[in-house]
Amino acid sequence: MNPTLRLAAAISLASLLPLSAQAAEAKGSVEVVHWWTSGGEKAAVDVLKAQVEKDGFTWKDGAVAGGGGATAMTVLKSRAVAGNPPGVAQIKGPDIQDWAATGLLDGDVLKDVAKEEKWDALLDKKVADTVKYDGDYVAVPVNIHRTNWLWINPEVFKKAGIDKAPATLDEFYAAADKLKAAGFIPLAHGGQPWQDSTVFESVVLSVMGAEGYKKAMVDLDNAALTGPDMVKALTELKKVATYTDPDGKGQDWNLEAAKVINGKAGMQIMGDWAKSEWTLAKKTAGKDYQCVPFPGTENAFLYNIDSLVVFKQNNAGTSAGQQDIARKVLGQDFQKVFSSNKGSIPVRNDMLADMGKYGFDACAQASARDFLADAKNGGLQPSMAHNMATTLAVQGAFFDVVTNYINDPKADPADAAKKLAAAIKAAQ
Ligand code: GAL
C-alpha cells in the first residue's frame, strides 16, 4: 500500500473506531495510581478497569511498580507538588488523614454514592473512620489483607520429611533446618525494607502478643520498644533471617513467591496478596498450598486495608468516573472477584459474615473468621509495615533500623532496640 492509501485507510479506520472511544471520553476519564503490578494483582485490578470501562469511562492506568507502594507514594507526592494529582490513588491508613489535611482530597464527590449505597451500614466503623476526613468519605475501602501469614508448599515439606505446618517458632526453625538439609531454600524472602519489616512485625506479634505489639508498634511506647520482649523479638528475627533465600537481596516479593510455587523453596512469610500469585498459577488453597498464621500468631490479625482516595479534579466527567469507581468497588460482584484474585477478604460486613455463600476458598474463609473474632478480643491490630499503624515518617524509621539490623552481621539486638526507639522519636 502506498503512503497516501495507508493514511486514507488509517483515517477511515479511525472514523470507525472512535465511536466507543468518543463516548468514553464524553463520559469522563480518570487516572488511577496504584502499585498492583505483579501478575496476580494486575489480574485483580484489571477487573475494576473492565467494569469502569464498560460503564463508558476512560481508565488511565497509573501503575507504579514496587511492592509496598513506597515508589508510588514518591511519584504521588511529586505529582501533587506539581499541581497534577491523579483522580484516584491507592493511599492507606493514617496517611489518608495527612493527605486530606492538605486540602487536595475531595470530601464532596463521594457523598451521594456513600449515602445511596449505605456505606456507614456496610462497613465496620474502624474501616469507615480510616477513609473519612471531617466526617466525609475521601476514599473508598477496597479490601482487607492480613499480613501475618506463612505460605507453605506441602509437596516440598513432604520431600523434606516435614509432616505438619509449624505452629511455634521452634517448630518453624526445625522445619527450616529440614528444608535446608534436603536442599531447598527454607524461606523465600526478598530483602527489600518493606519485606524485612513484614517479617519483623509477624515476629514481634509472635513474641510479644497482640497487646505487646500494640504498645510497641502502634502506641510507640518507649518501654515496649526497648524492653526485654522487643530484644527477644529482634533476636528471633535474626534467627529467622538465617533461613532466607541467599539470592533474595533486593528481590520482588512475587518473584520470591514463585520460588515456593515452583517447589524451590518451602515457605514464605508474606501478606495474603501472595495468594494472588498462587491463584494466577491455578493452584488450590488447602491442596497445592497451605496458608497458616505465622507461628504463634493464630489469635491475632495484622490488618492492611487497601483504599482508593479521590483527589479534587474540577472536571464533571472525572467526578462521574470517580463516583463510578467507588460504586463498583463496594459492590458485591467486585468485592467477590477482586478479593478472590487478590488474596484478600471483602470490606463489606455482610460478606465477611457469610464467606462460604460467596464461594471464597479455605484461606479466605479462615481469614474472615479470624478477622471477626480478633476484632472482639483485641487481636486485631494495624500493620506497621503496610502503613496502617503509624505515619510514613515513623514507618521509615522502623524500616531503616530493621533492615540495617538484619544486614549487619555484628548487630546486637539490645542495641538495635535502643536505635529503634531513638529513630522513632526523631521521626515523630
Ligand atoms: C501492600 C498492599 C497490597 C499489596 C502489597 C504488595 O501494601 O496493601 O495490596 O499490593 O503491598 O505490593
Side-chain angles (χ1 to χ4, degrees), residues 18 60 160 198 271 292 351 366 371 380:
K60 285 197 195 151
T198 302
V292 292
M351 296 177 76
F371 177 82
L380 186 63

Side-chain angles (χ1 to χ4, degrees), residues 35-36 41 67-68 90 92 145 194 253 273 304 306 342 386:
W35 64 88
W36 293 321
E41 294 195 310
Q90 186 186 356
K92 297 185 297 182
H145 279 298
W194 74 269
W253 66 270
W273 47 91
N304 168 23
D306 283 316
K342 184 81 164 66
H386 293 276

Side-chain angles (χ1 to χ4, degrees), residues 29-31 79 84-88 104 106 310-316 318-319 322:
S29 145
V30 188
E31 184 183 4
R79 297 258 322 246
N84 176 34
V88 167
L104 292 173
D106 198 327
V310 283
F311 279 91
K312 286 181 184 156
Q313 291 291 302
N314 215 2
N315 178 304
T318 303
S319 300
Q322 290 169 320

Side-chain angles (χ1 to χ4, degrees), residues 191-242:
Q192 297 170 345
W194 74 269
Q195 294 185 61
D196 291 341
S197 276
T198 302
V199 173
F200 168 64
E201 69 180 18
S202 278
V203 175
V204 168
L205 186 66
S206 174
V207 173
M208 301 177 69
E211 211 179 305
Y213 175 94
K214 179 176 181 297
K215 274 197 193 131
M217 317 283 270
V218 186
D219 303 341
L220 309 175
D221 175 83
N222 199 64
L225 283 167
T226 54
D229 285 355
M230 180 56 84
V231 175
K232 169 130 185 6
L234 285 162
T235 308
E236 300 290 357
L237 176 68
K238 200 76 178 173
K239 188 158 180 192
V240 170
T242 61

Side-chain angles (χ1 to χ4, degrees), residues 81-129:
V81 170
N84 176 34
V88 167
Q90 186 186 356
I91 301 182
K92 297 185 297 182
D95 210 21
I96 294 177
Q97 305 300 313
D98 289 351
W99 275 96
T102 64
L104 292 173
L105 302 191
D106 198 327
D108 289 327
V109 76
L110 301 181
K111 263 188 183 142
D112 291 346
V113 186
K115 216 185 207 162
E116 281 159 33
E117 310 274 326
K118 303 192 172 51
W119 286 7
D120 281 345
L122 277 186
L123 301 170
D124 186 83
K125 190 170 177 316
K126 214 175 194 158
V127 177
D129 286 348

Side-chain angles (χ1 to χ4, degrees), residues 112-428:
D112 291 346
V113 186
K115 216 185 207 162
E116 281 159 33
E117 310 274 326
K118 303 192 172 51
W119 286 7
D120 281 345
L122 277 186
L123 301 170
D124 186 83
K125 190 170 177 316
K126 214 175 194 158
V127 177
D129 286 348
T130 312
V131 290
K132 277 182 180 178
Y133 182 72
D134 265 355
D136 295 322
Y137 285 96
V138 290
V140 55
V142 183
N143 60 345
I144 301 169
H145 279 298
R146 182 186 202 174
T147 70
N148 55 312
W149 282 116
L150 181 67
W151 302 89
I152 293 173
N153 183 325
E155 195 57 40
V156 172
F157 261 40
K158 214 161 133 203
K159 285 186 190 154
I162 311 161
D163 53 11
K164 71 177 191 57
T168 63
L169 279 176
D170 283 343
E171 286 179 13
F172 173 85
Y173 299 136
D177 282 332
K178 283 192 177 169
L179 288 164
K180 206 176 201 169
F184 296 103
I185 300 164
L187 190 63
H189 175 72
Q192 297 170 345
W194 74 269
Q195 294 185 61
D196 291 341
S197 276
T198 302
V199 173
F200 168 64
E201 69 180 18
S202 278
V203 175
V204 168
L205 186 66
S206 174
V207 173
M208 301 177 69
E211 211 179 305
Y213 175 94
K214 179 176 181 297
K215 274 197 193 131
M217 317 283 270
V218 186
D219 303 341
L220 309 175
D221 175 83
N222 199 64
L225 283 167
T226 54
D229 285 355
M230 180 56 84
V231 175
K232 169 130 185 6
L234 285 162
T235 308
E236 300 290 357
L237 176 68
K238 200 76 178 173
K239 188 158 180 192
V240 170
T242 61
Y243 295 103
T244 53
D245 179 7
D247 297 327
K249 285 275 160 292
Q251 193 67 272
D252 288 338
W253 66 270
N254 49 313
L255 301 181
E256 289 298 314
K259 294 183 184 173
V260 191
I261 299 170
N262 297 337
K264 288 202 175 77
M267 308 183 275
Q268 183 181 26
I269 302 165
M270 185 49 67
D272 42 18
W273 47 91
K275 206 176 94 180
S276 65
E277 298 304 299
W278 290 92
T279 305
L280 188 74
K282 307 240 175 309
K283 305 287 185 190
T284 306
K287 180 175 149 264
D288 304 316
Y289 64 99
Q290 256 183 301
C291 60
V292 292
F294 180 72
T297 72
E298 48 289 330
N299 294 322
F301 189 118
L302 296 185
Y303 67 86
N304 168 23
I305 302 167
D306 283 316
S307 41
L308 295 173
V309 306
V310 283
F311 279 91
K312 286 181 184 156
Q313 291 291 302
N314 215 2
N315 178 304
T318 303
S319 300
Q322 290 169 320
Q323 289 164 349
D324 190 63
I325 289 176
R327 197 172 277 122
K328 285 275 147 4
V329 161
L330 275 187
Q332 283 193 346
D333 276 0
F334 175 78
Q335 287 282 307
K336 156 80 176 70
V337 64
F338 184 78
S339 269
S340 300
N341 284 325
K342 184 81 164 66
S344 47
I345 55 175
V347 274
R348 289 179 58 125
N349 285 332
D350 54 348
M351 296 177 76
L352 282 171
D354 206 352
M355 295 283 284
K357 179 175 151 195
Y358 297 94
F360 281 101
D361 68 17
C363 291
Q365 292 200 28
S367 190
R369 217 172 28 241
D370 292 350
F371 177 82
L372 295 173
D374 294 339
K376 290 194 190 112
N377 67 22
L380 186 63
Q381 296 296 333
S383 158
M384 176 281 292
H386 293 276
N387 326 3
M388 301 305 297
T390 70
T391 60
L392 287 187
V394 169
Q395 186 200 51
F398 271 110
F399 281 16
D400 285 351
V401 176
V402 168
T403 291
N404 283 334
Y405 170 72
I406 288 181
N407 291 310
D408 177 359
K410 291 203 206 86
D412 170 66
D415 185 47
K418 280 194 201 113
K419 281 192 180 133
L420 191 57
I424 289 168
K425 207 170 195 174
Q428 272 174 310

Side-chain angles (χ1 to χ4, degrees), residues 5-48:
L5 279 178
R6 228 177 2 241
L7 183 64
I11 290 170
S12 74
L13 263 184
S15 65
L16 285 177
L17 281 176
L19 269 187
S20 58
Q22 268 168 18
E25 275 306 329
K27 267 194 133 175
S29 145
V30 188
E31 184 183 4
V32 184
V33 167
H34 62 89
W35 64 88
W36 293 321
T37 53
S38 78
E41 294 195 310
K42 185 174 178 318
V45 76
D46 278 352
V47 171
L48 183 58

